[in-house]
């Protein structure tokens, strides 16, 4: 397939790009800094574009068969609009060019229910602290993005992973349309899940959780390395 990946230069975007190329797809990797993109391949086109630039987004979407968005920004106090503004430009471009399949990333927090089997400390204190205080502006804009996507007439899937961490390989991860047990999703597994959704027809117009079941780090390690750095 012909795939365009927004946020391609983030850790998850690079995973999705590399796995797609390995599987034989043609990829347009969209990044604001194409000179820094580490991958090269005959089936890869690196497009320098800002998702907040509608004309640039339209050029990237034209001629594609599916769109993957791995947009991400760090936690902070200032209002966030990258998710909602970016997805607005993406869906508008998709409509103009007749591209139907859209897969994008938000967070398992947006299921609005506690993780099954989780401790009281995590369920009642730590996760609410992240969702309502540390990451409040990010999650507010993720919700706006989800509303824009779910109100559209595209064949969309919204993937809601848990805390992200790096792993060397794709594992036997779990996928479900309700919140799964566990706190973590590896970027390798998330990239693979995004690719499976974008190139298939399962879970159309659905919210999907992805959960890594092996080799997950501790909560404190992820918070130090990932959450405060905003790596998507």
């Amino acid at each position: 397939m012909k795939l365009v990946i927004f946020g391609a230069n983030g850790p998850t975007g690079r995973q999705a790009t590399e796995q797609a190329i390995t599987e034989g797809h043609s990829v347009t990797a969209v990044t604001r800094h194409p000179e820094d993109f580490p991958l090269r391949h005959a089936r890869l086109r690196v497009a320098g574009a800002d998702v907040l630039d509608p004309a640039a987004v339209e050029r990237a979407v034209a001629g594609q068969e599916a769109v993957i968005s791995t947009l991400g920004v760090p936690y902070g106090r200032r209002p966030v609009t990258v998710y909602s503004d970016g997805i607005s430009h993406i869906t508008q471009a998709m409509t103009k060019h007749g591209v139907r399949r859209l897969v994008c990333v938000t967070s398992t927090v947006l299921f609005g229910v506690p993780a099954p089997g989780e401790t009281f400390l995590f369920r009642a204190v730590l996760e609410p602290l992240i969702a309502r205080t540390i990451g409040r502006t990010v999650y507010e804009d993720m919700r706006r993005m989800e509303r824009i996507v779910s109100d559209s007439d595209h064949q969309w899937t919204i993937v809601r992973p848990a805390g992200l961490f790096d792993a060397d390989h794709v594992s036997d991860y779990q996928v479900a349309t309700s919140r799964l047990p566990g706190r973590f999703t590896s970027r390798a597994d998330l990239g693979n899940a995004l690719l499976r959704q974008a190139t298939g027809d399962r879970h159309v117009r659905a919210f999907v959780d992805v959960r890594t079941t092996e080799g997950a780090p501790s909560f404190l390690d992820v918070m130090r390395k990932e959450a405060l750095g905003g790596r998507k």
Side-chain angles (χ1 to χ4, degrees):
M1 291 183 66
K2 294 180 180 179
L3 307 173
V4 56
I5 299 177
F6 290 89
N9 207 21
T12 298
R14 291 197 295 269
Q15 281 282 352
T17 300
E18 186 170 16
Q19 292 183 37
I21 292 170
T22 299
E23 293 187 11
H25 303 290
S26 297
V27 179
T28 297
V30 181
T31 170
R32 290 182 300 164
H33 303 288
E35 67 280 0
D36 296 331
F37 197 71
L39 304 177
R40 297 290 184 272
H41 196 277
R43 290 193 304 277
L44 172 64
R45 178 171 73 94
V46 182
D50 190 327
V51 75
L52 300 181
D53 180 348
V57 171
E58 185 181 321
R59 289 192 295 270
V61 168
Q64 307 295 337
E65 294 175 276
V67 177
I68 296 174
S69 171
T70 64
L71 297 174
V73 296
Y75 294 158
R77 296 182 179 180
R78 294 184 178 182
V80 174
T81 62
V82 170
Y83 297 98
S84 55
D85 288 346
I87 210 67
S88 292
H89 298 155
I90 289 170
T91 54
Q92 290 165 10
M94 291 176 66
T95 298
K96 182 172 182 178
H97 292 282
V99 182
R100 298 287 295 151
R101 193 69 174 109
L102 170 63
V103 182
C104 55
V105 179
T106 58
S107 169
T108 192
V109 169
L110 273 61
F111 276 108
V113 298
E118 193 50 80
T119 65
F120 175 81
L121 176 63
F122 184 84
R123 183 178 67 249
V125 179
L126 295 177
E127 186 170 88
L129 175 66
I130 295 169
R132 300 171 190 170
T133 304
I134 299 173
R136 179 180 58 83
T137 57
V138 166
Y139 293 121
E140 286 176 347
D141 200 40
M142 282 184 174
R143 289 186 182 91
R144 288 190 288 268
M145 181 178 78
E146 288 196 346
R147 286 195 294 270
I148 292 167
V149 172
S150 60
D151 287 345
S152 76
D153 61 356
H154 298 297
Q155 295 177 336
W156 55 266
T157 302
I158 295 175
V159 180
R160 291 169 163 175
L164 297 174
F165 70 98
D166 292 324
D168 295 332
H169 64 278
V170 176
S171 73
D172 186 20
Y173 59 88
Q174 293 181 306
V175 176
T177 54
S178 58
R179 188 166 185 180
L180 289 163
R183 301 176 183 176
F184 303 108
T185 306
S186 80
R187 291 187 175 88
D189 290 347
L190 176 57
N192 191 263
L194 294 170
L195 187 57
R196 299 280 72 74
Q197 297 297 326
T199 59
D201 57 5
R202 291 191 65 196
H203 304 124
V204 173
R205 301 188 70 82
F207 301 93
V208 176
D209 198 352
V210 178
R211 202 57 48 94
T212 297
T213 58
E214 58 185 52
S218 73
F219 176 76
L220 289 178
D221 284 343
V222 170
M223 280 297 295
R224 281 195 295 264
K225 183 178 180 182
E226 309 289 347
L228 299 180
R231 302 171 73 223
K232 177 68 71 174

